[in-house]
Amino acid sequence: MKINGTAFRTIWLAKDGIGVEIIDQTRLPHEFVTITLRSMADAALAIKDMWVRGAPLIGATAAYGMALAAREDATDAGLKRAYQLLHATRPTAINLKWALDEMLAVLLPLPETARVAAAYGRAAAICDEDSAQNAALGEHGAALIKAQHQAKQRTINVLTHCNAGWLATVDWGTALAPVYKAFDAGIPLHVWVDETRPRNQGASLTARELNWHGVPHTVIADNTGGHLMQHGMVDLCIVGTDRTTRNGDVCNKIGTYLKALAAKDNNVPFYVGLPSPTIDWTVADGVKEIPIEERSAREQTHIFGKDADGKVTEVQVTPDGSPAVNYGFDVTPARLVTGLITERGVCAASYKGLRGLFPERG
Ligand SMILES: CSC[C@H]1O[C@H](OP(=O)(O)O)[C@H](O)[C@@H]1O
């Protein structure tokens, strides 16, 4: 995507062909800072501390983490150790394991002398594949927005949760790819942006993206969506996912399930955008089987913002001594999902639906 006319991806090879450049997303929306990852440990820290986040981008960063690891120790044992360390960074997004499995599948059969070049090659391909998949799902999702516009002949209001835009992927995004494609095609639309407590990725990342692209949007408190749906102010919801099961259960940022319940109660279509590496074919029941990351309570009790002098500071929003808990994700059962928007088209949130688009899987 473009930032003020300059094309950007969220991750790219440094000029020396060794380091890996990323945007430090913990500094957005007020500061644009890039970091060069120079070791496997750098890549692991970038994922764990959420300098990069979003399921596909986590996978892409882990892939390059394996390339950096191969430079450090290209033996089987070295690569397997790197796999374990990178895999341990965050538990929920399946793209992490998918990418690491992809890298080992390419590297282990090769002689050690060939592994570094092959690792950088596969990591770059994973990035290109993600961008292409998201662009394709964007077209399929844009058709849904266009159909709403043809039927209603007015601005279409889309509600989204957290950040599932290009900052969550290598490029284009998942939930926001249809928004960008429809907007660029001239469809009048507006986006309700859930701020998405506690890390506020909606307020700080989705709003930042839409601002850069010129897409009309309004930032709302997470608890506002149901009211908007009751009053006919939401035409469809499109969210992302960190892991979707073979039966169509959708794991996504905490609060997604509540949005889906409100959508069901108000007959608002609820779609999920995902490239196929986000499908976990090994899991049937998302509520029972998907590990939900629990992050630091400090993310709940403190918040970052820009003060009157433009200085970014952290402030405490709870009393000293008040405990807090910070579950990162929840699972929306397939019965609440209208459809899954993938690079191969839109399908029902079901095993039959997914197998129809991906007959070679499952
Ligand atoms: C396209 S994946 C987007 C997905 O990832 C986010 O989680 P996090 O920022 O913690 O990595 C959120 O669940 C988004 O919907």
Side-chain angles (χ1 to χ4, degrees), residues 66-82:
M66 289 296 283
L68 291 163
R71 294 187 71 250
E72 296 158 8
D73 180 351
T75 63
D76 287 12
L79 292 176
K80 289 174 181 175
R81 176 177 170 273

Side-chain angles (χ1 to χ4, degrees), residues 50 53-56 90 162-164 168 174 201 241-242 252-253 329:
M50 295 181 67
R53 28 64 53 197
R90 295 188 71 193
C162 196
N163 175 252
T174 59
Q201 283 124 304
T241 175
D242 297 81
N252 196 50
K253 183 57 56 180
F329 302 93

Side-chain angles (χ1 to χ4, degrees), residues 126-321:
I126 284 172
C127 291
D128 291 341
E129 289 163 15
D130 181 61
S131 178
Q133 287 165 346
N134 298 334
L137 79 84
E139 294 294 349
H140 295 304
L144 298 169
I145 299 172
K146 288 176 187 174
Q148 288 260 5
H149 177 247
Q150 280 160 357
K152 298 178 179 176
Q153 291 298 303
R154 57 164 172 76
T155 295
I156 297 305
N157 293 293
V158 182
L159 184 144
T160 195
H161 190 71
C162 196
N163 175 252
W166 69 274
L167 289 171
T169 68
V170 173
D171 205 347
W172 285 107
T174 59
L176 291 188
V179 168
Y180 291 130
K181 291 289 188 181
F183 176 79
D184 291 348
I187 301 296
L189 59 83
H190 164 269
V191 181
W192 296 111
V193 178
D194 276 358
E195 64 177 344
T196 316
R197 289 280 291 141
R199 286 185 67 100
N200 283 355
Q201 283 124 304
S204 61
L205 301 178
T206 296
R208 174 75 280 170
E209 280 193 37
L210 296 175
N211 202 300
W212 276 330
H213 205 72
V215 178
H217 61 283
T218 305
V219 178
I220 55 175
D222 296 326
N223 298 323
T224 308
H227 169 75
L228 295 174
M229 294 185 217
Q230 273 180 337
H231 291 268
M233 299 167 75
V234 179
D235 296 298
L236 71 164
C237 298
I238 312 180
V239 301
T241 175
D242 297 81
R243 187 184 313 209
T244 289
T245 73
R246 65 170 182 264
N247 289 344
D249 293 342
V250 171
C251 182
N252 196 50
K253 183 57 56 180
I254 195 80
T256 303
Y257 173 40
L258 295 176
K259 236 20 68 77
L261 286 170
K264 191 74 174 180
D265 192 51
N266 292 282
N267 300 312
V268 172
F270 189 89
Y271 287 97
V272 180
L274 72 160
S276 52
T278 314
I279 302 166
D280 185 347
W281 296 96
T282 70
V283 169
D285 186 324
V287 174
K288 289 181 182 158
E289 299 180 70
I290 297 177
I292 300 298
E293 180 182 23
E294 188 174 338
R295 293 187 65 88
S296 159
R298 188 180 180 89
E299 292 182 358
Q300 184 68 48
T301 59
H302 291 66
I303 193 167
F304 282 92
K306 183 168 66 172
D307 66 18
D309 300 323
K311 184 172 176 293
V312 176
T313 52
E314 182 187 39
V315 296
Q316 184 171 327
V317 294
T318 54
D320 293 339

Side-chain angles (χ1 to χ4, degrees), residues 26-103:
T26 64
R27 307 290 292 274
L28 292 172
H30 303 306
E31 300 166 299
F32 186 88
V33 173
T34 60
I35 295 174
T36 306
L37 308 179
R38 297 206 172 280
S39 66
M40 186 279 294
D42 285 352
L45 184 61
I47 297 168
K48 185 167 181 57
D49 283 5
M50 295 181 67
W51 305 346
V52 295
R53 28 64 53 197
L57 180 54
I58 288 171
T61 306
Y64 271 117
M66 289 296 283
L68 291 163
R71 294 187 71 250
E72 296 158 8
D73 180 351
T75 63
D76 287 12
L79 292 176
K80 289 174 181 175
R81 176 177 170 273
Y83 179 108
Q84 294 305 329
L85 290 170
L86 286 161
H87 188 246
T89 52
R90 295 188 71 193
T92 303
I94 192 59
N95 306 62
L96 176 55
K97 182 180 186 299
W98 172 84
L100 292 171
D101 288 344
E102 285 286 310
M103 295 302 289

